Amino acid sequence: MGRSPRRDLLAGLTVAVVALPLALGFGVSSGLGAEAGLATAVVAGALAALFGGSNLQVSGPTGAMTVVLVPIVAQYGPGGVLTVGFMAGVLLIGLALLRAGQYVRYVPAPVVEGFTLGIACVIGLQQIPNALGVAKPEGEKVLLVAWRALVDFVAFPNWTAIGFSLSVAAVMLVGARWKPTVPFSIVAVTAATVVAKLFHLDAAAPIGNLPSGLPAPSLAFLDVSALGSLLAPAVAVAALAALESLLSATVADGMTVGQKHDPDKELFGQGIANLAAPLLGGVPSTAAIARTAVNVRTGASSRLAALTHAAVLAVIVFAAAPLVSEIPLAALAGVLLATAIRMVEVGSLRAMVKATRADAVVLVLTAAATLVLDLVYAVIIGLVVAGALALKAVAGQARMEQVDFRPDLPGEHSDEEHALLAEHIVAYRIDGPLFFAGAHRFLLELSEVADVKVVILRMSRVTALDATGALVLKDAVEKLNRRGIAVLASGIRPGQRQALDAVGALDLLRPEGRDYATTPEAIAGARKHLEQAGLLAGIRHRPHRTRKAAR
């Protein structure tokens, strides 16, 4: 099934060991209990691996999803959460059928890098209470919880717990450099468990009792009358599941060579997983970047690893709960601390920061928002800032400059004749986009035109024109017309013509035939206008030679 089944099996086993306490914890914190977390990890983990679009993705309950679920439990109860998960599954399948997953490719690299850095920090900070051997303090913000845990540790130090967590992390980090193929996480966790039991180290708190099975499939939770009121929470859950899963898959691709996920298929897999998990009492699921990172770092190369993770958890639920319950939480905290450290690609971050100032700003803001706020807000902030900076950069590329129209003059003219024409005609070439981000600059430039009778706007190089750009152009033409300056245009493209026509800008050009296909035709029209005004009586008409029309 994979290129290296043995490594995939070991990776799946490692991920299962890491995922177990997370599944239990997220189930409890969501309000549905540890059993709900385990059901999600087993059912959603297997189905998302089978039907999803990534070979490396590991799915299950996540901390980000738990934050969304807590208020839903408070308002609608456990049945409301199960219904929301089921509805979110339907929405995710709909997004997959609409091929919406492809749009995640437009998420800029600094946003993805900032998201990854922020997640690594969150994962690390989440492990502080277990790593220090203190009870998890109250609070929702990870920074505040970590600080309170540190204060509690200073008051009552637990050197056994911190010794376990730092030792496991050190073994993993050093071992990965020494022999990357060896699953040092399993070695370290097993060693920590044996030491804790042999020396009766009660200070190293174990996982504790586990539930002994999964509930029977049921749709009893579904209340059709409540579907309308639960639609908004379901949309939020589906949006988070889609966003976190696709960004996690993108991050996983970046951590490997030769792996590439199918975003639409990934949405479909997450939809199937969220349809099935509530039937067994599971909470809504998404791809878990921490478990995915463990999966990649321990050598996974195919879906076999994620399926193994789900299968191992299923076995644990039914058969091996007493054994796994003895694993010290501090040892598992060490596994995730090492994983968080290894998620941070220093070289990639350094390159992104050095690329441009805008990239550095987007990366830092996204990472900070991920740490201080949550994943959805972080990505939204990153996208908005990146989009604003990109618009500013694109708008700065647009320019308008006066050009010599001598090469485009129809026929032959002497220097004296050209000088006379130049006294009354000025030509401007507009290059680049003319849209809301920078259009008003052109209005100011055009309004300053003086001492001429005709302005020719050469628009064949305008790459984009929106309604704002069209309105600004219309305003400029109106101002020039009020000063007695006729405005002609050449090279307007069909799409641009539609925008100009919609705001009435073409009406200012058409009455006298001032909209021309080519610049030579516009110059001929300008000369005709001047002759009718009696300003070119001194120029003798000459037969025009055929010239290649230039836009």
Side-chain angles (χ1 to χ4, degrees), residues 22 26 54 57-69 92 95 104 107 112 115-116 118-120 122-123 126 235-253 261 263 266-267 270 274 284-293 343 370 374-380 383:
L22 295 176
F26 291 145
S54 171
Q57 197 95 281
V58 178
S59 299
T62 64
M65 187 64 77
T66 300
V67 173
V68 177
L69 296 179
L92 286 167
L95 289 174
V104 173
V107 178
V112 176
F115 176 83
T116 307
I119 284 292
V122 170
I123 292 172
Q126 284 177 339
V235 170
V237 168
L240 177 61
L243 188 61
E244 189 172 4
S245 297
L246 293 177
L247 286 180
S248 175
T250 302
V251 171
D253 289 348
H261 73 282
E266 180 61 28
L267 288 180
Q270 294 297 332
N274 278 284
S285 72
T286 178
I289 194 169
R291 276 152 275 178
T292 299
M343 282 177 63
T370 302
D374 63 44
L375 308 185
V376 176
Y377 283 124
V379 174
I380 291 174
L383 289 175

Side-chain angles (χ1 to χ4, degrees), residues 31-49:
L32 271 72
E35 185 174 328
L38 277 175
T40 304
V42 174
V43 178
L47 291 176

Side-chain angles (χ1 to χ4, degrees), residues 148-367:
R148 289 174 175 172
L150 188 60
V151 172
D152 292 344
F153 175 81
V154 171
F156 301 98
N158 185 339
W159 299 110
T160 302
I162 196 172
F164 273 149
S165 59
L166 292 179
S167 298
V168 170
V171 168
M172 287 182 60
L173 293 173
V174 175
R177 289 182 173 274
W178 177 45
K179 286 190 176 182
T181 57
V182 177
F184 281 99
S185 57
I186 294 178
V187 173
V189 167
T190 302
T193 305
V194 171
V195 169
K197 292 301 293 180
L198 284 178
F199 293 95
H200 305 287
L201 300 176
D202 296 332
I207 292 174
N209 295 330
L210 299 177
S212 58
L214 297 175
S218 172
L219 266 173
F221 63 85
L222 197 59
D223 183 2
V224 178
S225 63
L227 295 182
S229 60
L230 292 173
L231 180 58
V235 170
V237 168
L240 177 61
L243 188 61
E244 189 172 4
S245 297
L246 293 177
L247 286 180
S248 175
T250 302
V251 171
D253 289 348
M255 295 171 68
T256 59
V257 177
Q259 292 281 0
K260 186 173 178 60
H261 73 282
D262 182 332
D264 297 312
K265 191 176 179 182
E266 180 61 28
L267 288 180
F268 182 79
Q270 294 297 332
I272 295 295
N274 278 284
L275 275 179
L279 301 180
L280 292 168
V283 296
S285 72
T286 178
I289 194 169
R291 276 152 275 178
T292 299
V294 172
N295 195 39
V296 174
R297 292 301 187 189
T298 48
S301 60
S302 77
R303 300 168 191 267
L304 177 60
L307 287 170
T308 301
H309 138 268
V312 170
L313 288 177
V315 170
I316 290 171
V317 169
F318 290 104
L323 295 176
V324 177
S325 65
E326 299 297 334
I327 297 175
L329 288 172
L332 294 175
V335 171
L336 287 181
L337 283 173
T339 300
I341 293 172
R342 294 169 64 181
M343 282 177 63
V344 179
E345 298 285 352
V346 178
S348 179
L349 291 175
R350 185 183 295 117
M352 201 67 63
V353 170
K354 288 183 177 180
T356 66
R357 183 177 298 178
D359 289 333
V361 169
V362 171
L363 189 152
V364 172
L365 279 178
T366 305

